[in-house]
Amino acid sequence: MRVELLPSSLPASGGHVSDAQFLVTYLVDGALAVDAGSLGLLADLRRQERVRHVFVTHEHIDHIATLPIFLENVYEPGPDCVELLAAECVLDFLHHDIFNGRVWPDFFALSTGDDRFVHATPVVPGTPVTRAGLTITPLPVSHVEGSLGLLVDDGQVAVAFPSDTGPTDDFWRHIATCPRLQAVFLEVSFPDTMADLATITGHHCPRSFAAEIRKLDRDVRWIVVHRKARYAGEIARELTALGLKNVELVEPGRGYEF
Ligand SMILES: [Zn+2]
Ligand SMILES: [Zn+2]
C-alpha cells in the first residue's frame, strides 16, 4: 500500500516547499483520497483524475477546503463521477452549507441521469466498505459530531487514519484486532502548554499522544501529523523529550510504502 500526505504549503519566493501542514489529504494507492483539504491543488491533473473515491472524515475546513475545486477539476460530462463517502450528517452539511448554489454550485442536485458531478454514499460506523481494492472500516473518534477515523486494509497490510481526535478507546480496540496493521497516522495538534485547548477542541498534545499510543499494545509505526504550523517545532521538541519508540514526524509529499 502506498500512502502520501499531500503537501499543503506554498514555497516562499525562491524558497523550498516547507513541511508545514495546513490542510489534510492522504492519497492511498492513488485512487482513494482520505479528506480533500489539499486534493484540488495537485498540479498534475491526471493524479486528481485517478482519485475516484473521497472519504471525508469530518467537515472541518482543513479537511474539505479544496473539495469543491477538486470536483470541478475532474468533472467530465457523462455518468462516471467521483464518489464521496462520509457520515450522513457530514454529507448533509456538505450539501447544504457548501454545495448550496451560493458558496458553490449544487453538484448534488446537478448530478442527474447520465451527467454527474458526484455520487454521495453515507457510511455507517463499524460497517466496512470496499473500494479500489481496499477495505475501509469507518470508526467513531472523539472530535466533532460524525467524525470518523478509518482503518484501510488491502489484505496484505493495513494502515489506520484516526483523523482529528482527542483521547478515544473504541478506535484502538477495533484496530488492535487487525493482524496486518503496520502504521497509524495520528495527530498532535498543540504543544503541552496548550493541553486545555487540545482537550476542548478534541485534539492531542504530546502528553496525551503518549498516553494514547500505550492503549494500542502493538509494534506499529506512529507517524505524527496535523501539527499546527505555529507550534510544529515546539511539538517536535516535546515529542523527542518523551523518548517514545517508533514515533516519527510525517513528511508531506513522501510516498510511504507499507
Ligand atoms: Zn477537525
Ligand atoms: Zn483537522
Side-chain angles (χ1 to χ4, degrees), residues 58 60 62-63 143 164 203:
H58 65 297
H60 278 161
D62 52 328
H63 298 254
H143 192 50
D164 291 6
H203 286 298

Side-chain angles (χ1 to χ4, degrees), residues 123-241:
V123 297
V124 178
T127 303
V129 295
T130 303
R131 299 289 188 277
L134 303 163
T135 301
I136 307 149
T137 307
L139 298 159
V141 288
S142 304
H143 192 50
V144 291
E145 189 196 345
S147 295
L148 295 170
L150 307 179
L151 177 66
V152 179
D153 187 344
D154 69 3
Q156 315 256 303
V157 298
V159 174
F161 302 91
S163 188
D164 291 6
T165 184
T168 190
D169 293 307
D170 286 353
F171 187 85
W172 306 122
R173 253 199 300 274
H174 185 102
I175 70 168
T177 64
C178 178
R180 294 174 291 285
L181 184 67
Q182 294 212 351
V184 181
F185 287 82
L186 183 58
E187 70 130 288
V188 181
S189 295
F190 294 107
D192 281 329
T193 47
M194 300 174 81
D196 288 349
L197 185 59
T199 301
I200 292 166
T201 54
H203 286 298
H204 280 299
C205 58
R207 255 201 318 263
S208 67
F209 172 90
E212 206 70 356
I213 70 177
R214 281 195 288 272
K215 293 179 183 175
L216 184 76
D217 190 18
R218 291 281 299 276
D219 200 17
V220 298
R221 278 172 77 178
W222 293 94
I223 303 173
V224 174
V225 296
H226 207 275
R227 286 177 295 153
K228 300 280 180 196
R230 180 177 291 273
Y231 308 107
E234 195 176 346
I235 292 167
R237 285 190 293 278
E238 290 177 350
L239 283 169
T240 303

Side-chain angles (χ1 to χ4, degrees), residues 7-12 15-22 252:
S8 60
S9 60
L10 302 174
H16 297 291
V17 177
S18 86
D19 64 356
Q21 186 188 351
F22 301 116

